[in-house]
Amino acid sequence: MDYEDSDNIYIIAAQDGKYGLINADKVVIPNEYQEITYIDEKDVCILKKGRKYGVADLTGNIILPVEYSQIDVSGDNIYATDENNSRTVYDIKGNKLDIDANTVILTVGNDREYQINMQAVDAKTTYDLYKNNQKINQESYNYIGYLFDNYFIVSKEDGKLGVIDDTGSIRVDMVYDSIQKLQDKKIVQATQSASQKVVLYDESMTSLLE
């Protein structure tokens, strides 16, 4: 298995049933793991040795030691579960964070100025939107996803989709079954399945065509 960044090609290679990471002719991570999983979005590798997991970066630096019963990389952070089923949150460099282990934070935006917080409580996940550590939305959403510029797709319990801006104002009513940005264009296509109604919105969320 191989993958590459703009400057380097990396290979996850097996020897005698053990896996390691090679960059060109250099061994970055030695062949001593039962499994190595590359996390593309964060350029880190989850390591498995026996029944324990840890995390390393692409220089071979061990971010978290191989001593956890489970490792998950969600949003911006790493979630590590120990043998007592206690879950701790770390940033991508391995620094411990003082946030709820049931909260996932995803940084988005052209300048990464927004944070989408997802919190799971009693099998229900709620979403909140922040800018400069200030909460934007006044009401709870069941989904928030980044669209482009300062726009976000949102939905409530009925699953209908709409669009809000970074002041929390509704720019497209939550009446659609699907909303998507057209490839390489700042044009949004919104569809109502039952009526087969399709509306196109421009980059200011003004209706162009129905």
Side-chain angles (χ1 to χ4, degrees):
M1 181 185 302
D2 66 305
Y3 55 94
E4 60 183 295
D5 63 22
S6 58
D7 301 310
N8 299 292
I9 296 177
Y10 293 84
I11 298 174
I12 296 176
Q15 182 177 10
D16 299 326
K18 300 291 182 66
Y19 288 87
L21 184 67
I22 300 172
N23 173 215
D25 294 327
K26 179 183 177 182
V27 176
V28 179
I29 298 174
N31 291 77
E32 56 184 56
Y33 299 97
Q34 278 73 44
E35 186 177 310
I36 295 179
T37 303
Y38 173 60
I39 308 299
D40 181 48
E41 297 84 356
K42 298 301 177 184
D43 280 339
V44 297
C45 294
I46 297 178
L47 312 174
K48 180 183 180 184
K49 181 184 287 188
R51 296 184 178 181
K52 299 296 183 180
Y53 296 85
V55 181
D57 64 21
L58 294 185
T59 69
N61 176 54
I62 299 298
I63 297 171
L64 293 181
V66 184
E67 60 182 33
Y68 296 94
S69 59
Q70 182 175 329
I71 294 283
D72 300 290
V73 179
S74 299
D76 296 341
N77 302 316
I78 301 170
Y79 296 77
T81 304
D82 64 21
E83 59 185 6
N84 298 316
N85 208 34
S86 177
R87 204 172 188 219
T88 305
V89 186
Y90 299 89
D91 68 16
I92 210 66
K93 295 184 181 298
N95 300 306
K96 186 177 178 181
L97 300 176
D98 185 22
I99 66 173
D100 190 322
N102 293 311
T103 298
V104 174
I105 300 173
L106 179 62
T107 302
V108 296
N110 296 333
D111 298 315
R112 297 177 60 82
E113 66 268 45
Y114 304 109
Q115 292 80 42
I116 298 174
N117 285 23
M118 298 155 272
Q119 186 169 37
V121 178
D122 297 329
K124 180 181 178 181
T125 302
T126 57
Y127 288 68
D128 291 304
L129 179 62
Y130 288 79
K131 181 178 182 180
N132 299 325
N133 296 318
Q134 297 294 317
K135 185 177 176 181
I136 292 173
N137 55 299
Q138 300 301 313
E139 50 189 328
S140 181
Y141 290 106
N142 284 42
Y143 173 77
I144 298 176
Y146 183 61
L147 188 56
F148 61 80
D149 292 346
N150 62 326
Y151 298 116
F152 301 83
I153 300 173
V154 295
S155 72
K156 294 185 178 179
E157 291 187 356
D158 63 2
K160 296 297 182 181
L161 300 170
V163 176
I164 65 171
D165 62 22
D166 63 359
T167 69
S169 299
I170 296 175
R171 302 300 296 271
V172 174
D173 290 335
M174 286 179 277
V175 296
Y176 295 100
D177 298 294
S178 71
I179 292 179
Q180 59 183 342
K181 175 181 173 291
L182 299 187
Q183 186 174 6
D184 300 325
K185 297 182 183 298
K186 290 185 178 180
I187 295 178
V188 175
Q189 176 180 294
T191 305
Q192 289 179 318
S193 299
S195 64
Q196 298 185 340
K197 176 181 176 181
V198 178
V199 183
L200 297 182
Y201 292 89
D202 65 14
E203 60 185 310
S204 63
M205 294 302 138
T206 301
S207 176
L208 288 174
L209 178 67
E210 180 177 322

